[in-house]
Amino acid sequence: IHKMAKSSFEYVKKFELDDTLLPNSWIVVRLDGKCFHKFSEEHNFAKPNDIRALKLMNYAAFTVLREFNDLLMAFGQSDEYSFIFKKSTTLYKRRAAKLLTTINSKFSTSYVFYWKKFFEEEPLKYPPTFDGRVVLYPNDENLIDYMKWRQADVHINNLYNTTFWTLVLKGNLSPSQAEKRLCGTVSADKNEILFKEFLINYNNEPEIFKRGTLLMRKSIFHNNLDKHSNVIVDTHDDMLKDRFWKEHSSLLLNKPKESMMYVGPITDI
Ligand code: ATP
Ligand code: ATP
Ligand code: MG
Ligand code: MG
Ligand code: MG
Ligand code: MG
């Protein structure tokens, strides 16, 4: 293969800074939609939770996991997704910019490419933008706390948003009246407003709304075919419970399975 001759200009290459990430530590890439408050309004997202949008996010994340086998799992909620690499990955020699930009690019283009599959008649009006960052976590406890942090965020936001939009859509309050009504309330107050005034038991809200989506690699045994296949599954389990991390301890074992297909509710639409 043709190799470029060295030119007198090539010294500029040395201006590129080294961004190799620390070895043997958890690499987390988190993406977040830019101005999705506005984007969601302009594309008529159902409030507070548009299921089409969540499924599209999950599907875009699935295409990322399918492409990068060193990703162990991914967690998504609202307009954000976190991707977790196995600790020992040497993908792109652990160069931060390469990891971040290829993941963001695959995710963003998949979001656009598969828009119609989920939104059908609702046209995509302009290309969305996602920002991204890379964070390193040195031990399992930090990573687990990271996952718990993102899932706790879903709960806090969703309980607020569910109560807010119920007050607006069913209680006929204006947005600013609903905001005032919720000012200074704690979780129990919001649960009570939903239950006493609107007969809504927050516990019965869909798991995907309350907990977000965790995508992970799994090996599934097919009795009829007498063989295993490796798949990426979506779950909405409670990661705040230590039981979850005991049951899924293999998740952090650093041995990702090859993934070939996708199973889970996303394929059911
Ligand atoms: P930034 O550019 O700083 O991230 P943002 O407007 O995207 O600004 P976020 O804090 O990321 O702000 O919040 C994302 C917003 O997108 C939510 O508050 C909500 O209004 C909207 N949104 C995202 N996903 C959904 C969804 N599935 N259904 C309804 N609304 C959604
Ligand atoms: P990497 O992932 O390392 O970037 P690559 O295959 O993208 O690998 P590059 O050095 O970036 O390698 O080269 C891009 C290649 O894409 C070119 O060598 C050429 O084969 C092809 N290519 C890009 N643009 C065009 C174009 N406009 N017309 C024809 N071929 C193109
Ligand atoms: Mg942001
Ligand atoms: Mg955002
Ligand atoms: Mg966000
Ligand atoms: Mg190239």
Side-chain angles (χ1 to χ4, degrees):
I1 276 182
H2 162 85
K3 182 139 188 9
M4 265 237 290
K6 288 213 177 208
S7 69
S8 61
F9 312 121
E10 200 166 302
Y11 77 95
V12 296
K13 177 94 178 124
K14 296 203 177 75
F15 282 54
E16 290 182 15
L17 297 176
D18 177 50
D19 64 348
T20 306
L21 295 166
L22 193 73
N24 197 40
S25 43
W26 293 106
I27 301 172
V28 175
V29 169
R30 183 168 76 254
L31 310 179
D32 185 281
K34 178 171 180 271
C35 298
F36 260 49
H37 183 71
K38 193 153 170 267
F39 181 88
S40 61
E41 278 172 9
E42 286 169 337
H43 292 86
N44 298 312
F45 281 22
K47 290 292 177 181
N49 290 295
D50 191 299
I51 189 69
R52 301 166 301 175
L54 295 174
K55 286 182 173 181
L56 174 57
M57 290 288 290
N58 291 347
Y59 199 77
F62 160 67
T63 69
V64 175
L65 257 73
R66 188 175 54 187
E67 176 151 328
F68 299 99
N69 281 317
D70 279 1
L71 287 171
L72 294 176
M73 55 183 162
F75 179 71
Q77 58 133 332
S78 181
D79 66 339
E80 72 168 60
Y81 238 100
S82 299
F83 297 89
I84 291 86
F85 279 100
K86 65 173 184 171
K87 279 168 112 170
S88 61
T89 187
T90 53
L91 184 63
Y92 297 124
K93 299 189 172 121
R94 297 177 77 88
R95 289 163 63 190
K98 283 272 193 177
L99 294 172
L100 176 59
T101 58
T102 48
I103 285 186
N104 193 354
S105 177
K106 174 60 83 179
F107 183 89
S108 305
T109 54
S110 293
Y111 190 94
V112 171
F113 193 76
Y114 294 110
W115 173 271
K116 214 170 176 304
K117 183 177 164 72
F118 297 92
F119 276 91
E120 295 172 356
E121 303 92 81
E122 184 71 47
L124 180 60
K125 291 183 177 157
Y126 53 87
T129 304
F130 291 85
D131 72 44
R133 70 195 70 189
V134 180
V135 192
L136 283 182
Y137 291 107
N139 60 41
D140 293 2
E141 191 192 353
N142 297 148
L143 178 72
I144 291 171
D145 285 345
Y146 173 82
M147 302 300 279
K148 289 180 176 177
W149 175 50
R150 294 329 297 150
Q151 193 167 51
D153 191 71
V154 185
H155 172 72
I156 294 162
N157 290 334
N158 191 58
L159 180 58
Y160 182 92
N161 291 337
T162 303
T163 317
F164 176 89
W165 284 103
T166 302
L167 287 169
V168 171
L169 299 174
K170 296 194 179 141
N172 295 317
L173 295 193
S174 71
S176 69
Q177 286 171 323
E179 200 181 316
K180 271 200 203 100
R181 177 80 203 277
L182 291 176
C183 186
T185 57
V186 297
S187 290
D189 303 326
K190 296 183 190 80
N191 273 301
E192 194 173 294
I193 292 173
L194 287 172
F195 196 68
K196 290 225 171 112
E197 296 177 32
F198 302 98
L199 300 172
I200 294 170
N201 183 345
Y202 182 75
N203 292 330
N204 297 338
E205 289 291 294
E207 301 297 294
I208 187 175
F209 297 169
K210 287 184 296 185
R211 299 209 172 113
T213 301
L214 180 70
L215 298 181
M216 50 189 169
R217 295 175 194 279
K218 270 221 166 104
S219 186
I220 289 186
F221 187 72
H222 305 270
N223 278 318
N224 50 338
L225 302 170
D226 194 32
K227 65 167 195 161
H228 284 91
S229 65
N230 297 314
V231 297
I232 296 166
V233 295
D234 58 357
T235 69
H236 315 289
D237 287 355
D238 189 351
M239 295 191 288
L240 292 163
K241 295 232 161 67
D242 290 325
R243 178 193 57 73
F244 173 89
W245 295 100
K246 284 194 187 103
E247 271 172 27
H248 295 88
S249 54
S250 64
L251 263 185
L252 304 183
L253 280 183
N254 235 353
K255 284 193 202 113
K257 309 266 174 11
E258 295 278 312
S259 68
M260 300 312 296
M261 57 181 273
Y262 179 75
V263 294
I266 293 164
T267 52
D268 293 343
I269 71 155

